[in-house]
Amino acid sequence: MDYRRFLREDVGALEEYQPVKPLDVLAEEIGMPVGQLVKLDANENLYGAPAAVYDAIAKADLHIYPDPGQNHLREAIAGYVGHGVTPEQVVGGTGADDLIDLIFRLTMPEKVAVVTPAFGMYSFLAKINRVQPIEVPRLPGTFDLDIDALRDAVDDGARIVFLTSPNNPTGNALLIEQARAVCEMDALVIIDEAYIEFGGESAAPLLAEFSNLVILRTFSKWAGIAGLRVGYALCDPGFAKLMMAIKQPYNVNVAADVAARAAIEHRAEIFETVRALIAERGRMVRLLEGLGWLKALPSASNFVLFRVEGRSAKAVVKGLRQQGVLVRYYPRPDLADYIRISAGRPEDTDRLVAALRQVALR
Ligand code: PMP
């Protein structure tokens, strides 16, 4: 029997998600040692996690299954988030990605509104779950939320709304009053705050008022543990209970659990790196705008979207890559002239600037 007979009918229409490539593969492709690559393409914290996080993993009981109820983790996260959030309102996941998938599996709507340009996983996971994504473009130039267009999408049948604040890849954040206006719509409202530690106003105070609001967060960006995959949802306790009921029982593994709790415990140390990254974001903007052909969009995040003027953005990304500097380009019409660059350490910015100067000479 041919396996194709047993596949879902829409399998041909599923697009593969294009994640970033592993460093060793890139190093091989570029012909440079891994240690010489400057990784500014995935918004990781290049300072890494503090020693206390590694110590916690070293001491963990890795031979025992994790707690499916995530009790210690949920309590620690609720304390970290504040705003009156209780552990019953927290659901941990294998990264925020896991929770996006879980929300689709729990709701299974026909259509979802995705405010774009956006993180690609919303549409990707919608399609995997047979949910049709409807793109709601942000306003041209500023990439501000087009609230009327979003309202139209909800009126047209979108039962879930995905929006990100600060947004990836544009960097701009939502005001809490804008978030409130969205929560008043007749839809489940997902506000992805993956980058909230770097700036912007959290919608968390609205959780007490709106049971249709779900906030997504992650330890991947601020805490330096993207490799461990820990994210969480904040929502109504009833909705959280349902998410807990249908998730993979052991979705937050033992190493991830203890590392996330150690990160919370040692957050003062990690926030020093967050502050350094925010400062470096400013320095990067000044240096790159000084080159005369890159224009920064205001960013409340740990990356900046730059408009490339007078040359091809795609060619710039290629030229940087040849020199071992990795940044992000999006092959879509609304971002064709832009590149997204993560904030790194001062030495990363220095390598970036030197490489951009080389690119400009060509
Ligand atoms: N949301 C946004 C907006 C992101 O940019 C990312 C990572 N690029 C994620 C979620 C995924 O986070 P995690 O690593 O926790 O799955």
Side-chain angles (χ1 to χ4, degrees):
M1 291 288 182
D2 187 325
Y3 73 88
R4 290 178 193 84
R5 293 183 51 220
F6 311 110
L7 296 174
R8 52 195 277 181
E9 278 168 17
D10 59 352
V11 75
L14 297 175
E15 289 160 32
E16 240 178 282
Y17 184 71
Q18 299 289 344
V20 287
K21 290 184 184 176
L23 270 182
D24 54 343
V25 172
L26 285 166
E28 172 102 23
E29 282 179 14
I30 296 167
M32 214 178 246
V34 170
Q36 279 180 30
L37 297 181
V38 178
K39 194 170 185 321
L40 301 175
D41 61 344
N43 307 333
E44 293 125 332
N45 182 338
L46 295 186
Y47 287 98
V53 168
Y54 289 87
D55 292 347
I57 296 170
K59 285 196 209 110
D61 286 326
L62 300 183
H63 62 297
I64 304 291
Y65 282 105
D67 170 15
Q70 307 169 345
N71 287 298
H72 295 300
L73 181 64
R74 294 170 82 196
E75 196 176 319
I77 289 171
Y80 168 70
V81 170
H83 298 293
V85 167
T86 64
E88 294 70 36
Q89 292 181 275
V90 180
V91 181
T94 315
D97 292 350
D98 183 26
L99 299 158
I100 298 166
D101 190 45
L102 202 51
I103 289 166
F104 284 127
R105 289 199 288 128
L106 187 58
T107 56
M108 289 289 175
E110 243 174 72
K111 295 181 200 172
V112 57
V114 180
V115 176
T116 57
F119 178 46
M121 287 297 271
Y122 313 138
S123 293
F124 169 74
L125 289 171
K127 287 182 214 152
I128 299 281
N129 286 291
R130 294 201 175 124
V131 177
Q132 184 196 340
I134 301 173
E135 292 205 7
V136 179
R138 287 171 175 270
L139 298 169
T142 60
F143 293 112
D144 280 337
L145 174 66
D146 185 344
I147 191 122
D148 294 331
L150 186 57
R151 209 171 275 120
D152 288 347
V154 171
D155 289 346
D156 284 349
R159 308 308 296 147
I160 308 186
V161 165
F162 268 94
L163 84 166
T164 320
S165 178
N167 187 43
N168 173 17
T170 56
N172 52 334
L174 210 60
L175 299 172
I176 194 156
E177 286 316 313
Q178 289 177 298
R180 174 188 296 280
V182 178
C183 288
E184 278 162 359
M185 295 181 192
D186 183 18
L188 188 69
V189 175
I190 318 298
I191 301 188
D192 184 340
E193 297 187 343
Y195 299 96
I196 199 69
E197 279 81 2
F198 298 95
E201 211 178 354
S202 175
L206 299 177
L207 285 166
E209 253 177 273
F210 295 99
S211 87
N212 60 327
L213 170 63
V214 181
I215 294 176
L216 299 180
R217 299 235 192 132
T218 180
F219 286 78
S220 295
K221 312 300 176 181
W222 71 278
I225 53 171
L228 285 173
R229 320 296 302 118
V230 198
Y232 55 96
L234 306 170
C235 55
D236 178 87
F239 193 80
K241 200 168 176 190
L242 292 169
M243 285 178 84
M244 291 296 291
I246 71 155
K247 72 177 178 62
Q248 299 273 348
Y250 307 122
N251 63 338
V252 179
N253 71 62
V254 169
D257 177 10
V258 297
R261 284 188 280 138
I264 289 174
E265 195 181 331
H266 297 273
R267 60 184 175 277
E269 193 180 333
I270 302 178
F271 274 113
E272 283 174 30
T273 68
V274 168
R275 279 191 291 275
L277 290 167
I278 292 170
E280 198 57 21
R281 175 182 81 201
R283 180 172 165 258
M284 169 169 78
V285 165
R286 286 190 295 279
L287 288 169
L288 268 53
E289 289 204 324
L291 296 172
W293 50 276
L294 289 166
K295 189 93 192 72
L297 270 80
S299 172
S301 200
N302 67 341
F303 56 81
V304 177
L305 192 67
F306 288 94
R307 190 154 49 82
V308 181
E309 292 173 345
R311 38 169 63 80
S312 145
K314 195 173 173 186
V316 171
V317 173
K318 196 168 163 218
L320 289 177
R321 190 179 191 276
Q322 283 162 353
Q323 299 174 77
V325 177
L326 309 167
V327 303
R328 192 76 192 259
Y329 177 75
Y330 300 88
R332 43 178 291 149
D334 54 352
L335 294 176
D337 298 330
Y338 293 89
I339 54 180
R340 189 197 69 187
I341 312 181
S342 307
R345 297 156 298 183
E347 60 267 34
D348 300 314
T349 312
D350 294 345
R351 278 278 308 278
L352 167 71
V353 173
L356 284 167
R357 289 215 169 93
Q358 284 299 316
V359 166
L361 291 177
R362 289 180 196 163

